[in-house]
Amino acid sequence: LWINARPFWTYSTLDKTLYRPDSLTARMQAARGVAPMRVIDLGLVSPVGPIYPGNTLMAIDVPQVLGQHGLELRYFDEVLGGRNEWRNLGNLHLWEMLAVRWVLAPAQAQGLDSIPGFVRVVSNGVTAEGRPVQLFERKTPTLYARVVPAAFSIDSASLVAAVADPRMAYDRVVLLDAREGVATPPLTQMPPPSASGATVRHWEPGKMSVDLDPPPAAPSYLVVSENWAPDWRALVDGSRARVLRGNWTLITVPVPANARHIELEYVSAAFTRGKLITVVSLLVALGAVLGPGISRRWRSGSRAQTV
């Protein structure tokens, strides 16, 4: 399996042109901070097709909205309007929730001279593969992690539509699936945004540290623009905390008043069990291969000593 998978990880050996950095990707890489700020490729919903096909952006370490190798989580696919349909890909409001900073658009896209909230920084760019493109950058970068003062549980049948609704205020309320049984107080009015800010101090795939400053004055929620999965674990000021699925797909951690530090880590029990089974299987296989030879030598040595 490792031999067959090697070409997928050694991108530079596959296509010297497709996976070569260019001025556009260099600009996006140079602006990266601690936390990911993603790029969205509008070519996916245009007749010309994706500007950077396949896993090109992944190969040169530019975070993108859609998954790698065509693999995305079900909840994420539903928020964006269906796998490979992406009916909601052009929803600018969702771009804010998903921490979209950059937008790639085909140079020949009709009528795409401006995008609300974005400024065109490259008009006539060319990718390493020779595709003409224009690049837009968000005027005020959106937040990868934010403190939200309230949560509201609603029926799953209407949750996706509510999340994509332009009236949804991501900085004021996070929507939870009522099936998860999280008790949330009724909302009589929309609360003001939290005065607490969330700063990502450390980020790597599967692990991040977030500081809250100032600490929230009341119980709140940390919402991270990263897909929820059952194996995420959270510590709030050193104490175990539950990781919820907010806004249908995002990591959401309830935090008490005066919370200051959150650690998030992806720990897969299934992967740990798999490693243990693999090690034990290897030991059994080695024993089956080497055991008979060792046993014969031991018996031969024993007979020699007896003689």
Side-chain angles (χ1 to χ4, degrees):
L1 289 175
W2 178 78
I3 291 173
N4 289 327
R6 282 189 65 188
F8 290 98
W9 309 118
T10 313
Y11 293 102
S12 59
T13 64
L14 294 179
D15 191 316
K16 295 294 185 181
T17 301
L18 180 60
Y19 297 116
R20 189 180 69 220
D22 53 41
S23 60
L24 296 163
T25 58
R27 181 164 190 158
M28 291 185 283
Q29 287 174 324
R32 285 190 63 180
V34 176
M37 290 294 173
R38 301 186 179 94
V39 58
I40 195 164
D41 187 343
L42 293 183
L44 285 162
V45 290
S46 74
V48 301
I51 295 164
Y52 288 96
N55 299 297
T56 309
L57 292 175
M58 175 187 176
I60 49 185
D61 200 26
V62 174
Q64 58 182 327
V65 169
L66 297 183
Q68 317 302 340
H69 299 293
L71 301 176
E72 305 90 28
L73 297 178
R74 164 205 159 192
Y75 298 112
F76 173 83
D77 282 346
E78 291 175 350
V79 166
L80 284 182
R83 176 177 172 81
N84 294 330
E85 298 180 26
W86 315 129
R87 295 183 302 273
N88 295 334
L89 192 65
N91 186 326
L92 273 67
H93 194 52
L94 284 177
W95 294 3
E96 178 187 351
M97 188 185 84
L98 298 173
V100 173
R101 178 171 180 176
W102 306 94
V103 179
L104 292 161
Q108 62 270 39
Q110 295 295 324
L112 190 59
D113 297 323
S114 63
I115 300 175
F118 288 76
V119 59
R120 184 164 52 186
V121 293
V122 177
S123 299
N124 298 299
V126 179
T127 69
E129 198 184 18
R131 294 171 180 250
V133 62
Q134 48 188 332
L135 177 67
F136 296 82
E137 182 179 7
R138 186 182 290 274
K139 295 177 181 177
T140 304
T142 189
L143 299 175
Y144 177 76
R146 68 183 78 207
V147 179
V148 177
F152 187 64
S153 295
I154 68 173
D155 183 76
S156 59
S158 57
L159 206 157
V160 172
V163 168
D165 194 312
R167 296 171 294 178
M168 172 65 182
Y170 301 124
D171 59 343
R172 299 187 179 196
V173 64
V174 58
L175 300 181
L176 304 178
D177 188 345
R179 294 175 302 180
E180 294 191 358
V182 179
T184 57
L187 282 177
T188 57
Q189 60 182 5
M190 190 67 71
S194 175
S196 179
T199 302
V200 180
R201 297 296 182 190
H202 172 78
W203 188 95
E204 61 183 86
K207 192 173 184 179
M208 65 188 86
S209 301
V210 183
D211 291 341
L212 307 186
D213 185 27
S220 304
Y221 298 84
L222 174 70
V223 180
V224 182
S225 182
E226 199 70 61
N227 280 315
W228 172 92
D231 292 316
W232 278 104
R233 303 289 182 264
L235 294 176
V236 178
D237 291 334
S239 298
R240 181 75 67 185
R242 187 176 179 184
V243 182
L244 305 174
R245 179 170 52 85
N247 292 344
W248 198 243
T249 189
L250 298 186
I251 293 173
T252 301
V253 182
V255 295
N258 301 314
R260 294 179 178 274
H261 186 73
I262 294 92
E263 292 282 345
L264 280 160
E265 185 174 11
Y266 188 90
V267 181
S268 173
F271 179 69
T272 302
R273 288 195 300 271
K275 286 198 301 183
L276 178 61
I277 292 171
T278 300
V279 171
V280 171
S281 300
L282 286 173
L283 292 175
V284 171
L286 287 173
V289 173
L290 301 178
I294 295 173
S295 178
R296 285 195 296 271
R297 291 192 185 93
W298 183 81
R299 288 197 300 269
S300 297
S302 299
R303 286 196 295 269
Q305 290 178 359
T306 302
V307 174

